[in-house]
């Protein structure tokens, strides 16, 4: 600073204007240099806890998914000829919609029981998302029960644990309910002649004995029977013929020659038996073509009589 006499004087340093109480206290060097350290530990704990919780939740979800087993029951393969005194055999198409491959070791359904001495099914591997075929022998329909709505499937997982799950039935594509309906509701249409036939030929007639089997689980009766062959007449058995559920009866038909001209022109396939089966209020017309062995015996009868 200069004064009026023109001489240089010392510079007067007045310092910082203001009282000491107006300034904030100095920050500790450690705190001012790294203020984030106060939050590092709690944040880290939260992050680790969240990750651990997510891992545990995922593990629980994965375990639940791996434990989930779902089976869909599709179409069944079955023919009336598979029914005998020991029940029916049925092949079911099953789809594993679960999250792990399993083995199918058994099936059961309401409305059915297994015939005595029926062994366990052969275990079938069921990979995820693949249709497999499972065969069960010895199924006997209980027609006094209600139609089955559920199929229970016994499964075994990779750990050897076995449990029973309920399969969803695809009604539009068949299933075990179709077998029950066929045997119990529509069984009248499955009263059929079954072979082989036995024959007895004499000088003027041929007696043919045909076994008839009722494939249904309900009793049925044959109320009409008309044997047909060119130039021949036939005496059917006394009607009605009672056939027990899943039962067999023997039917005798005696043939004689009426018209040699028509009979000698008879060809294979010309002979048949028409009949009507009654079950409850249902009446179903049926017919049975005579097999080659019976037709040969009829030709022998015609040859013997008309020669």
């Amino acid at each position: 600073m200069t004064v009026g006499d023109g001489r240089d004087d010392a510079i007067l340093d007045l310092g910082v204007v203001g009282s000491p109480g107006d300034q904030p206290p100095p920050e500790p060097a450690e705190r001012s240099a790294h203020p984030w350290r106060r939050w590092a530990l709690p944040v880290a704990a939260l992050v680790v806890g969240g990750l651990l919780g997510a891992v545990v939740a995922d593990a629980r979800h994965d375990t639940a998914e791996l434990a989930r087993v779902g089976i869909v029951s599709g179409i069944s393969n079955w023919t009336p000829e598979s029914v005998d005194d020991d029940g029916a055999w049925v092949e079911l198409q099953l789809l594993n919609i679960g999250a792990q491959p399993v083995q199918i070791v058994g099936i059961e359904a309401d409305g059915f029981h297994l015939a005595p001495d029926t062994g366990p099914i052969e275990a079938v591997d069921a990979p995820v998302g693949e249709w497999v075929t499972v065969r069960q022998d010895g199924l006997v329909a209980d027609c006094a029960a209600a139609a089955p709505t559920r199929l229970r499937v016994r499964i075994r997982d990779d750990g050897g644990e076995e449990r029973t799950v309920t399969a969803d039935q695809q009604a539009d594509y068949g299933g075990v309910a179709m077998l029950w309906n066929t045997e119990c509701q529509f069984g009248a249409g499955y009263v059929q002649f079954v072979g082989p036939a036995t024959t007895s030929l004499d000088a003027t007639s041929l007696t043919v004995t045909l076994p008839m089997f009722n494939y249904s689980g309900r009793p049925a009766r044959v109320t009409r029977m008309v044997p047909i062959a060119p130039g021949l007449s036939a005496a059917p058995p006394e009607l009605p013929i009672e056939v027990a559920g899943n039962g067999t009866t023997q039917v005798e038909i005696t043939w004689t020659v009426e018209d040699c001209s028509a009979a000698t022109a008879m060809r294979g396939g010309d002979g048949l038996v028409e009949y009507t089966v009654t079950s409850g209020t249902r009446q179903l017309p049926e017919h049975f073509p005579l097999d080659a062995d019976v037709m040969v015996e009829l030709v022998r009868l015609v040859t013997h009589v008309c020669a």
Side-chain angles (χ1 to χ4, degrees), residues 32-300:
S32 61
H34 304 288
W36 54 270
R37 289 185 179 177
R38 287 181 298 170
W39 308 102
L41 188 59
V43 170
L46 288 174
V47 171
V48 172
L51 290 175
L52 182 59
V55 170
V56 171
D58 286 345
R60 289 175 178 171
H61 177 72
D62 290 345
T63 301
E65 283 297 302
L66 289 175
R68 181 173 62 86
V69 173
I71 302 292
V72 172
S73 172
I75 193 168
S76 62
N77 299 323
W78 172 79
T79 57
E81 287 76 10
S82 71
V83 179
D84 53 26
D85 293 339
D86 295 325
W89 64 260
V90 60
E91 288 182 340
L92 291 173
Q93 306 297 312
L94 301 180
L95 173 65
N96 180 4
I97 59 172
Q100 61 172 326
V102 296
Q103 275 191 324
I104 297 173
V105 296
I107 60 173
E108 59 183 39
D110 297 330
F112 287 93
H113 65 270
L114 293 180
D117 302 325
T118 300
I121 72 169
E122 183 177 350
V124 175
D125 293 330
V128 175
E130 293 187 18
W131 287 96
V132 297
T133 301
V134 177
R135 172 167 173 157
Q136 175 66 66
D137 293 319
L139 277 178
V140 179
D142 180 5
C143 295
T149 58
R150 298 185 304 168
L151 175 71
R152 293 180 294 277
V153 181
R154 188 76 178 167
I155 59 100
R156 180 190 299 136
D157 60 25
D158 288 341
E161 179 185 353
E162 292 189 10
R163 62 186 183 276
T164 300
V165 298
T166 299
D168 294 326
Q169 292 199 80
Q170 303 301 296
D172 292 341
Y173 299 97
V176 70
M178 182 178 69
L179 173 58
W180 189 92
N181 286 330
T182 299
E183 290 202 49
C184 297
Q185 295 294 339
F186 308 109
Y190 288 96
V191 176
Q192 301 285 350
F193 286 109
V194 293
T198 58
T199 58
S200 175
L201 177 65
D202 61 25
T204 59
S205 66
L206 172 72
T207 300
V208 179
T209 303
L210 291 164
M212 174 176 277
F213 186 74
N214 180 1
Y215 290 105
S216 77
R218 295 183 175 181
R221 61 176 56 185
V222 178
T223 55
R224 171 181 171 270
M225 181 173 292
V226 180
I228 299 173
L232 302 177
S233 64
E238 184 179 351
L239 300 177
I241 301 172
E242 305 287 345
V243 190
N246 294 318
T248 305
T249 189
Q250 304 294 321
V251 176
E252 285 191 358
I253 301 174
T254 300
W255 300 83
T256 56
V257 179
E258 266 193 348
D259 184 345
C260 283
S261 176
T264 53
M266 181 174 56
R267 298 174 299 174
D270 284 347
L272 69 130
V273 179
E274 293 181 347
Y275 59 101
T276 300
V277 178
T278 302
S279 179
T281 59
R282 295 169 56 88
Q283 289 190 337
L284 297 178
E286 298 285 348
H287 70 278
F288 173 71
L290 298 178
D291 62 23
D293 291 340
V294 173
M295 292 301 297
V296 166
E297 294 302 315
L298 288 177
V299 170
R300 289 180 60 191

